[in-house]
């Protein structure tokens, strides 16, 4: 096991997964504190690196494309303070960071984890129910329905339509963009068969963001919804006789992986049993 404890957070690697816990330091972003602890299976990793600096260094994880709904929903637009896959390392812990990198890299080699993209999420996304107030609305998601409630800052034309409610079946995609310079950001739900070119300010399926402290939290809503939409790289349907059947439910497989990990940690499964069971689940993914 490898572990590194810093003010910015704690990373623990047990050989099968990395547990990333944000620190409680005042400099840790609200986004990372709200997101909470992440458990990243080894199979979701594409690489790990450590960059030294004069006063502090930085550990970085690189995930396989398509493994994390948060990264997919944000499109790489999460800035460094909010990126949960980076850890600031104080100079007196450079040796520990280098050892941590070696341990993870060795495990990737031993398990022969490919770096190629995946066609199913290997992380579950933020937990639900979830509600965030930022910009011109409060966005809530309970796992099945998205609810947008407008506030006094909402444009009259958009607010006149009243509270907006969407089911997962209504949504074909999620877009999240942070505010940048003079350009406002937004969270947009792309509704099936209802494309729009309206700016977020007037779009009843969008939340307009102005660059305030809570804006990044809207990315949590985006990721939670994205995790429950069909994976963009997955084959949508498989023909069986005269019927179309949906590919294996990834939520159930992810739950099974977590259950296997817990059984292994508590000693119920031996190393060999856990490895065989894990490989069987990953093949089904």
């Amino acid at each position: 096991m490898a572990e590194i404890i810093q003010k910015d957070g704690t990373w623990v690697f047990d050989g099968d997964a990395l547990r990333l816990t944000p620190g409680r330091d005042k400099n840790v972003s609200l986004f990372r504190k709200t997101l909470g602890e992440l458990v990243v299976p080894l199979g979701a990793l594409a690489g790990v690196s450590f960059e030294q600096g004069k006063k502090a260094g930085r550990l970085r994880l690189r995930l396989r494309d398509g493994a994390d709904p948060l990264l997919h929903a944000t499109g790489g637009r999460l800035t460094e303070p909010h990126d949960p896959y980076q850890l600031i390392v104080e100079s007196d812990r450079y040796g520990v960071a280098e050892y941590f990198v070696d341990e993870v890299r060795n495990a990737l080699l031993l398990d022969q984890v490919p770096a190629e993209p995946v066609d199913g999420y290997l992380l579950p996304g933020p937990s639900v129910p979830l509600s965030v107030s930022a910009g011109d609305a409060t966005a809530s998601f309970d796992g099945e329905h998205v609810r947008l409630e407008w506030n006094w800052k909402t444009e009259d034309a958009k607010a006149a339509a009243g509270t907006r409610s969407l089911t997962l079946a209504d949504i074909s995609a999620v877009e999240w963009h942070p505010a940048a310079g003079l350009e406002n950001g937004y969270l947009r739900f792309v509704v099936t068969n209802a494309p729009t070119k309206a700016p977020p300010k007037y779009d009843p399926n969008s939340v307009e963001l102005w660059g305030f402290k809570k804006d990044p939290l809207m990315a949590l809503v985006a990721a939670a919804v994205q995790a429950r939409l069909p994976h963009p790289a997955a084959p949508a349907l498989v023909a069986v006789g005269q019927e179309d059947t949906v590919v294996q439910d990834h939520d159930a497989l992810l739950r099974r992986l977590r259950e296997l990990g817990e059984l292994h940690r508590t000693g119920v499964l031996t190393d060999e049993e856990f490895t065989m069971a894990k490989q069987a689940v990953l093949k089904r993914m």
Side-chain angles (χ1 to χ4, degrees), residues 8 12 55 91 97 101 111 127 134 176 182 194 209 244 275:
D8 195 40
V12 179
K55 295 183 178 180
S91 58
V101 168
D111 278 29
S127 59
W176 177 83
L182 298 177
L209 305 171
D244 287 331
T275 299

Side-chain angles (χ1 to χ4, degrees), residues 11 18 42 45-51 58-63 85 97-98 100-106 108:
W11 285 13
L18 292 98
L42 184 65
L45 281 186
V48 59
S49 63
F50 175 59
E51 304 163 4
R58 195 176 295 271
L59 270 172
R60 298 178 190 268
L61 295 181
R62 182 166 58 88
L63 271 62
Y85 300 115
E98 290 169 350
F100 190 94
V101 168
D102 288 342
E103 288 292 293
V104 175
R105 286 178 176 171
N106 289 338
L108 289 171

Side-chain angles (χ1 to χ4, degrees), residues 41 43 106 130 149 173 197 228:
N106 289 338
L130 180 63
E149 299 176 80
K197 294 184 179 179
R228 289 159 179 82

Side-chain angles (χ1 to χ4, degrees), residues 108-153:
L108 289 171
L109 288 172
L110 288 173
D111 278 29
Q112 297 181 338
V113 177
E116 288 80 9
V118 297
D119 59 5
Y121 295 122
L122 301 182
L123 280 85
S127 59
V128 294
L130 180 63
S131 183
V132 174
S133 297
D136 65 352
T138 295
S140 304
F141 180 55
D142 62 5
E144 296 180 358
H145 301 86
V146 171
R147 183 180 175 88
L148 302 178
E149 299 176 80
W150 315 115
N151 58 38
W152 64 273
K153 295 171 284 187

